[in-house]
Amino acid sequence: MVMSGFKIEWEIIPLTLKEVFTISRSSRSEVSNVFLSITKDGITGYGEAGPNTRYNETPEIVVSDFESIPYGFFDDISSPDEVESMIGNLNPEPVQSAKMAIEMAWLDWWAKSQGQPLWKLLGEKTSITPVTSFTIGIDSPEKMQAKIRDAEQYPVYKIKLGTERDRETIEAIREVTDKPLRVDANEGWATLEQAQKEIEFLDTQNVELIEQPMPASEFKLMKQLKEWSPLPLAADESFIGDEDLRQIAQAFHVINIKLMKMGSIMKARRVLNQAHEKGLRVMVGCMIESSLANAAGALVALNAEYADLDGHLLISNDPFGGLTVDEKLKIILSDNPGFGVIN
Ligand code: MG
């Protein structure tokens, strides 16, 4: 039997939002993510789980998943090609964000053990992502105007909609900026008529795309909406990770890949290529996450059309640093080993 050389530790860290963050279904001022560290030979790899109640995950469920990692597990992984399937075999009822943290920690450790940034080891030629959007949560029109003024350095905003006041909100935003907007309704428009009415208006407002206009359960209506829509539609809640991409392409133009839904960086990279083959464009998004998980997301976003990796910009107590964002809001992955962020 192989002696386990890895020390495994985890910690639940409440991430404090700079401002209360409201979307169509919830409002939060703090989000608890679970941070995993694995140490061997004086090298520590870090992983992060951002459990989301929309997908029935909590920090406690993530921790119990970490507790069940068998003795010696990490010693048996030898390359990134096998890490996804080995973690996939751990739990027959996978906790996606926990899987993500486990894989992230191993990949970070492995790249650090080679003394190389992971993006280079995985064969990427560039370390620069597309422009990332900056998210403005739901608030009163006056407060949303103030948030835009505070964020005037950003080139594109993601506006959370899906309430009774959507038009009023956009009109208020257009009083303070003419920059392009991405709109995320978070399943907030219940009927085809409502979605069409909102999109017709948004089409006159320099909007780049609409994310998840209708509930994920309304797939048939989403197909009708795509037939009609003058604006690109992006699947977020409708695309977790295992859906048939040909079907998704019938109802959407874009998929939003999030690592915490997908449970694997290696899988996310593969799905991105498969989506491109089906004619879908790809956005890489995030939950409320630190610079660590967003560095991992940025690695996938190197090959995407859109980035929405601002989670770490929304929190005031980021446990990690060193993730560079340039003046155009493109994330630049560092040349430091692993994911290149600093604990
Ligand atoms: Mg979304």
Side-chain angles (χ1 to χ4, degrees), residues 23 25 55 158 160 183-187 211-212 234-237 256 258 261 283 285-287 308:
I23 66 169
R25 60 177 167 260
Y55 305 108
K158 178 161 167 177
K160 293 289 193 178
V183 161
D184 189 354
N186 282 112
E187 316 182 282
E211 201 172 303
Q212 201 66 42
D236 184 0
E237 289 86 343
N256 186 339
K258 290 178 179 168
K261 295 189 297 187
M283 168 186 284
C286 61
M287 310 290 185
D308 179 31

mmCIF file of all heavy atoms in Angstrom, residues 23 25 55 158 160 183-187 211-212 234-237 256 258 261 283 285-287 308, ligand 1:
data_model
loop_
_atom_site.group_PDB
_atom_site.id
_atom_site.type_symbol
_atom_site.label_atom_id
_atom_site.label_comp_id
_atom_site.label_asym_id
_atom_site.label_seq_id
_atom_site.Cartn_x
_atom_site.Cartn_y
_atom_site.Cartn_z
ATOM 1 N N ILE A 23 -30.391 39.095 -7.184
ATOM 2 C CA ILE A 23 -30.802 38.653 -8.517
ATOM 3 C C ILE A 23 -32.285 38.319 -8.424
ATOM 4 O O ILE A 23 -32.900 38.515 -7.370
ATOM 5 C CB ILE A 23 -29.960 37.455 -9.015
ATOM 6 C CG1 ILE A 23 -30.203 36.200 -8.170
ATOM 7 C CG2 ILE A 23 -28.474 37.817 -9.016
ATOM 8 C CD1 ILE A 23 -29.616 34.930 -8.767
ATOM 9 N N ARG A 25 -34.042 35.778 -7.983
ATOM 10 C CA ARG A 25 -34.595 34.837 -6.999
ATOM 11 C C ARG A 25 -34.001 34.954 -5.601
ATOM 12 O O ARG A 25 -34.457 34.267 -4.684
ATOM 13 C CB ARG A 25 -34.452 33.385 -7.493
ATOM 14 C CG ARG A 25 -33.036 32.953 -7.731
ATOM 15 C CD ARG A 25 -32.896 31.487 -8.149
ATOM 16 N NE ARG A 25 -31.537 31.303 -8.633
ATOM 17 C CZ ARG A 25 -31.185 31.284 -9.908
ATOM 18 N NH1 ARG A 25 -32.086 31.371 -10.847
ATOM 19 N NH2 ARG A 25 -29.920 31.165 -10.253
ATOM 20 N N TYR A 55 -28.529 24.686 -7.140
ATOM 21 C CA TYR A 55 -28.205 23.310 -7.510
ATOM 22 C C TYR A 55 -28.115 22.404 -6.274
ATOM 23 O O TYR A 55 -27.407 21.385 -6.278
ATOM 24 C CB TYR A 55 -26.903 23.296 -8.336
ATOM 25 C CG TYR A 55 -27.000 24.214 -9.534
ATOM 26 C CD1 TYR A 55 -26.296 25.412 -9.589
ATOM 27 C CD2 TYR A 55 -27.859 23.910 -10.590
ATOM 28 C CE1 TYR A 55 -26.431 26.280 -10.678
ATOM 29 C CE2 TYR A 55 -28.002 24.762 -11.671
ATOM 30 C CZ TYR A 55 -27.285 25.947 -11.708
ATOM 31 O OH TYR A 55 -27.422 26.794 -12.777
ATOM 32 N N LYS A 158 -22.905 43.686 -16.900
ATOM 33 C CA LYS A 158 -23.945 42.653 -16.915
ATOM 34 C C LYS A 158 -25.014 43.108 -15.942
ATOM 35 O O LYS A 158 -24.747 43.309 -14.754
ATOM 36 C CB LYS A 158 -23.350 41.320 -16.487
ATOM 37 C CG LYS A 158 -24.359 40.190 -16.412
ATOM 38 C CD LYS A 158 -23.612 38.878 -16.440
ATOM 39 C CE LYS A 158 -24.499 37.724 -16.054
ATOM 40 N NZ LYS A 158 -23.765 36.454 -16.160
ATOM 41 N N LYS A 160 -28.503 42.574 -14.008
ATOM 42 C CA LYS A 160 -29.446 41.562 -13.547
ATOM 43 C C LYS A 160 -30.861 42.125 -13.671
ATOM 44 O O LYS A 160 -31.176 43.180 -13.100
ATOM 45 C CB LYS A 160 -29.147 41.198 -12.088
ATOM 46 C CG LYS A 160 -27.812 40.472 -11.902
ATOM 47 C CD LYS A 160 -27.863 39.052 -12.445
ATOM 48 C CE LYS A 160 -26.669 38.229 -11.977
ATOM 49 N NZ LYS A 160 -26.760 36.829 -12.466
ATOM 50 N N VAL A 183 -27.527 41.342 -20.463
ATOM 51 C CA VAL A 183 -28.650 41.264 -19.536
ATOM 52 C C VAL A 183 -28.805 39.826 -19.058
ATOM 53 O O VAL A 183 -28.720 38.889 -19.849
ATOM 54 C CB VAL A 183 -29.939 41.757 -20.232
ATOM 55 C CG1 VAL A 183 -31.182 41.286 -19.500
ATOM 56 C CG2 VAL A 183 -29.917 43.283 -20.353
ATOM 57 N N ASP A 184 -28.991 39.640 -17.755
ATOM 58 C CA ASP A 184 -29.241 38.304 -17.205
ATOM 59 C C ASP A 184 -30.571 38.320 -16.463
ATOM 60 O O ASP A 184 -30.692 38.949 -15.409
ATOM 61 C CB ASP A 184 -28.109 37.904 -16.247
ATOM 62 C CG ASP A 184 -28.209 36.446 -15.809
ATOM 63 O OD1 ASP A 184 -29.215 35.786 -16.159
ATOM 64 O OD2 ASP A 184 -27.279 35.973 -15.132
ATOM 65 N N ALA A 185 -31.574 37.642 -17.037
ATOM 66 C CA ALA A 185 -32.899 37.621 -16.404
ATOM 67 C C ALA A 185 -33.021 36.515 -15.358
ATOM 68 O O ALA A 185 -34.030 36.459 -14.641
ATOM 69 C CB ALA A 185 -33.989 37.459 -17.463
ATOM 70 N N ASN A 186 -32.022 35.627 -15.266
ATOM 71 C CA ASN A 186 -32.063 34.553 -14.254
ATOM 72 C C ASN A 186 -33.428 33.868 -14.180
ATOM 73 O O ASN A 186 -34.004 33.714 -13.110
ATOM 74 C CB ASN A 186 -31.677 35.083 -12.864
ATOM 75 C CG ASN A 186 -30.176 35.267 -12.704
ATOM 76 O OD1 ASN A 186 -29.697 36.394 -12.590
ATOM 77 N ND2 ASN A 186 -29.425 34.190 -12.740
ATOM 78 N N GLU A 187 -33.971 33.470 -15.331
ATOM 79 C CA GLU A 187 -35.249 32.728 -15.436
ATOM 80 C C GLU A 187 -36.461 33.589 -15.060
ATOM 81 O O GLU A 187 -37.535 33.067 -14.788
ATOM 82 C CB GLU A 187 -35.252 31.460 -14.560
ATOM 83 C CG GLU A 187 -33.985 30.622 -14.617
ATOM 84 C CD GLU A 187 -34.052 29.354 -13.760
ATOM 85 O OE1 GLU A 187 -33.901 29.467 -12.528
ATOM 86 O OE2 GLU A 187 -34.265 28.268 -14.322
ATOM 87 N N GLU A 211 -29.141 36.600 -21.117
ATOM 88 C CA GLU A 211 -28.878 35.324 -20.471
ATOM 89 C C GLU A 211 -30.153 34.821 -19.787
ATOM 90 O O GLU A 211 -30.836 35.574 -19.089
ATOM 91 C CB GLU A 211 -27.768 35.541 -19.437
ATOM 92 C CG GLU A 211 -27.042 34.274 -19.063
ATOM 93 C CD GLU A 211 -25.839 34.602 -18.179
ATOM 94 O OE1 GLU A 211 -24.972 35.382 -18.596
ATOM 95 O OE2 GLU A 211 -25.796 34.076 -17.060
ATOM 96 N N GLN A 212 -30.422 33.554 -19.995
ATOM 97 C CA GLN A 212 -31.511 32.807 -19.337
ATOM 98 C C GLN A 212 -32.798 33.633 -19.174
ATOM 99 O O GLN A 212 -33.235 33.907 -18.061
ATOM 100 C CB GLN A 212 -31.061 32.293 -17.977
ATOM 101 C CG GLN A 212 -31.901 31.128 -17.499
ATOM 102 C CD GLN A 212 -31.756 29.880 -18.363
ATOM 103 O OE1 GLN A 212 -30.677 29.510 -18.783
ATOM 104 N NE2 GLN A 212 -32.866 29.217 -18.657
ATOM 105 N N ALA A 234 -28.393 33.300 -24.204
ATOM 106 C CA ALA A 234 -27.371 32.462 -23.567
ATOM 107 C C ALA A 234 -28.006 31.546 -22.521
ATOM 108 O O ALA A 234 -28.843 31.982 -21.731
ATOM 109 C CB ALA A 234 -26.300 33.335 -22.918
ATOM 110 N N ALA A 235 -27.578 30.277 -22.511
ATOM 111 C CA ALA A 235 -28.084 29.297 -21.549
ATOM 112 C C ALA A 235 -27.179 29.270 -20.322
ATOM 113 O O ALA A 235 -25.987 29.016 -20.448
ATOM 114 C CB ALA A 235 -28.104 27.915 -22.184
ATOM 115 N N ASP A 236 -27.768 29.567 -19.169
ATOM 116 C CA ASP A 236 -27.007 29.401 -17.926
ATOM 117 C C ASP A 236 -27.682 28.309 -17.091
ATOM 118 O O ASP A 236 -27.231 27.165 -17.075
ATOM 119 C CB ASP A 236 -26.912 30.741 -17.182
ATOM 120 C CG ASP A 236 -26.043 30.639 -15.924
ATOM 121 O OD1 ASP A 236 -25.528 29.550 -15.640
ATOM 122 O OD2 ASP A 236 -25.892 31.659 -15.220
ATOM 123 N N GLU A 237 -28.816 28.631 -16.452
ATOM 124 C CA GLU A 237 -29.539 27.608 -15.691
ATOM 125 C C GLU A 237 -29.987 26.447 -16.593
ATOM 126 O O GLU A 237 -30.204 25.332 -16.118
ATOM 127 C CB GLU A 237 -30.739 28.223 -14.964
ATOM 128 C CG GLU A 237 -30.375 29.122 -13.780
ATOM 129 C CD GLU A 237 -30.078 30.579 -14.175
ATOM 130 O OE1 GLU A 237 -29.833 30.853 -15.370
ATOM 131 O OE2 GLU A 237 -30.082 31.446 -13.278
ATOM 132 N N ASN A 256 -23.312 29.372 -21.152
ATOM 133 C CA ASN A 256 -22.508 29.910 -20.058
ATOM 134 C C ASN A 256 -21.928 28.731 -19.286
ATOM 135 O O ASN A 256 -22.634 28.020 -18.572
ATOM 136 C CB ASN A 256 -23.375 30.787 -19.150
ATOM 137 C CG ASN A 256 -22.560 31.502 -18.079
ATOM 138 O OD1 ASN A 256 -21.449 31.081 -17.749
ATOM 139 N ND2 ASN A 256 -23.112 32.562 -17.524
ATOM 140 N N LYS A 258 -19.848 27.405 -16.328
ATOM 141 C CA LYS A 258 -19.316 27.798 -15.018
ATOM 142 C C LYS A 258 -18.658 26.582 -14.394
ATOM 143 O O LYS A 258 -19.242 25.496 -14.379
ATOM 144 C CB LYS A 258 -20.444 28.286 -14.102
ATOM 145 C CG LYS A 258 -21.044 29.612 -14.517
ATOM 146 C CD LYS A 258 -22.184 29.994 -13.586
ATOM 147 C CE LYS A 258 -22.790 31.339 -13.977
ATOM 148 N NZ LYS A 258 -24.065 31.572 -13.267
ATOM 149 N N LYS A 261 -20.682 24.554 -11.857
ATOM 150 C CA LYS A 261 -21.727 23.679 -12.391
ATOM 151 C C LYS A 261 -21.094 22.449 -13.037
ATOM 152 O O LYS A 261 -21.621 21.349 -12.960
ATOM 153 C CB LYS A 261 -22.538 24.399 -13.488
ATOM 154 C CG LYS A 261 -23.356 25.584 -13.060
ATOM 155 C CD LYS A 261 -24.279 26.068 -14.186
ATOM 156 C CE LYS A 261 -23.556 26.554 -15.419
ATOM 157 N NZ LYS A 261 -24.450 27.168 -16.432
ATOM 158 N N MET A 283 -19.601 31.539 -23.230
ATOM 159 C CA MET A 283 -19.250 32.487 -22.182
ATOM 160 C C MET A 283 -18.729 31.660 -21.011
ATOM 161 O O MET A 283 -19.282 30.609 -20.711
ATOM 162 C CB MET A 283 -20.495 33.271 -21.758
ATOM 163 C CG MET A 283 -20.315 34.083 -20.496
ATOM 164 S SD MET A 283 -21.869 34.865 -19.951
ATOM 165 C CE MET A 283 -21.979 36.209 -21.130
ATOM 166 N N GLY A 285 -18.518 31.901 -17.144
ATOM 167 C CA GLY A 285 -19.038 32.705 -16.044
ATOM 168 C C GLY A 285 -18.560 32.181 -14.705
ATOM 169 O O GLY A 285 -17.726 31.267 -14.625
ATOM 170 N N CYS A 286 -19.082 32.765 -13.652
ATOM 171 C CA CYS A 286 -18.644 32.365 -12.311
ATOM 172 C C CYS A 286 -19.803 32.529 -11.329
ATOM 173 O O CYS A 286 -20.820 33.135 -11.640
ATOM 174 C CB CYS A 286 -17.468 33.221 -11.857
ATOM 175 S SG CYS A 286 -17.832 34.988 -11.757
ATOM 176 N N MET A 287 -19.629 31.978 -10.143
ATOM 177 C CA MET A 287 -20.506 32.280 -9.017
ATOM 178 C C MET A 287 -19.802 33.414 -8.256
ATOM 179 O O MET A 287 -18.878 34.025 -8.762
ATOM 180 C CB MET A 287 -20.681 31.046 -8.122
ATOM 181 C CG MET A 287 -21.062 29.770 -8.842
ATOM 182 S SD MET A 287 -22.736 29.811 -9.478
ATOM 183 C CE MET A 287 -22.901 28.127 -10.107
ATOM 184 N N ASP A 308 -17.156 36.313 -18.103
ATOM 185 C CA ASP A 308 -17.956 36.985 -17.069
ATOM 186 C C ASP A 308 -17.385 36.523 -15.728
ATOM 187 O O ASP A 308 -17.985 35.743 -15.012
ATOM 188 C CB ASP A 308 -19.434 36.605 -17.235
ATOM 189 C CG ASP A 308 -20.297 37.257 -16.176
ATOM 190 O OD1 ASP A 308 -19.951 38.364 -15.729
ATOM 191 O OD2 ASP A 308 -21.312 36.656 -15.784
HETATM 192 MG MG MG B 1 -26.557 33.802 -15.134
#
